Amino acid sequence: MLTWQKAPLNAQKKQRNYYSGKKKKHTLKSQVVIETQSLKVICTAHGKGKEHDFQLFKTSRVKPLESIEIIADKGYQGIKKIHKSSYTPRKKPKNKSLTSKEREYNKE
């Protein structure tokens, strides 16, 4: 006969830190910064599954030069405040649609 034992309370708290509500699993998040011309890995950062992409970027303390362009996905909204030459896709306004110029920008 098998008996089910509940994990100790402190183990449950540690496990909760890695639970991603979006994925419904326990996950780790990794971020890799790559130089596009030579494809060299500049920096890696790792975080708990529920940590936001942009928060992981800020805690990794990556400080790219202002001359470097950053192209990021929608998870990095607000990076423009930290790094002037960075680009993220435009978000669709609530109950509206993107203009054709904004869609073209997102494709680029």
Side-chain angles (χ1 to χ4, degrees):
M1 180 175 183
L2 295 172
T3 59
W4 182 261
Q5 290 183 339
K6 204 171 186 182
L9 193 58
N10 62 350
Q12 287 178 347
K13 286 182 180 179
K14 287 180 183 178
Q15 190 176 21
R16 191 178 309 145
N17 290 331
Y18 293 92
Y19 185 76
S20 171
K22 183 178 179 183
K23 301 268 186 196
K24 304 290 187 219
K25 294 181 180 180
H26 295 87
T27 59
L28 289 173
K29 187 168 282 194
S30 297
Q31 173 180 290
V32 180
V33 179
I34 299 174
E35 200 273 314
T36 55
Q37 291 176 337
S38 65
L39 297 178
K40 289 184 180 179
V41 175
I42 297 171
C43 173
T44 59
H46 306 284
K48 298 174 181 174
K50 67 180 184 178
E51 190 172 0
H52 193 272
D53 294 345
F54 191 47
Q55 185 63 37
L56 184 61
F57 177 77
K58 289 193 283 188
T59 57
S60 70
R61 297 186 178 155
V62 175
K63 297 288 183 188
L65 299 172
E66 285 298 320
S67 61
I68 295 174
E69 290 183 353
I70 295 177
I71 301 170
D73 64 5
K74 288 183 183 179
Y76 293 88
Q77 294 289 325
I79 196 170
K80 192 88 168 168
K81 295 176 185 174
I82 295 173
H83 191 274
K84 299 297 180 206
S85 58
S86 59
Y87 303 96
T88 56
R90 303 273 191 239
K91 289 177 88 173
K92 181 182 94 55
K94 195 172 189 176
N95 299 328
K96 296 182 181 177
S97 60
L98 291 173
T99 65
S100 59
K101 285 185 179 181
E102 289 174 325
R103 274 189 240 114
E104 203 56 42
Y105 174 83
N106 286 350
K107 287 179 185 177
E108 287 180 25

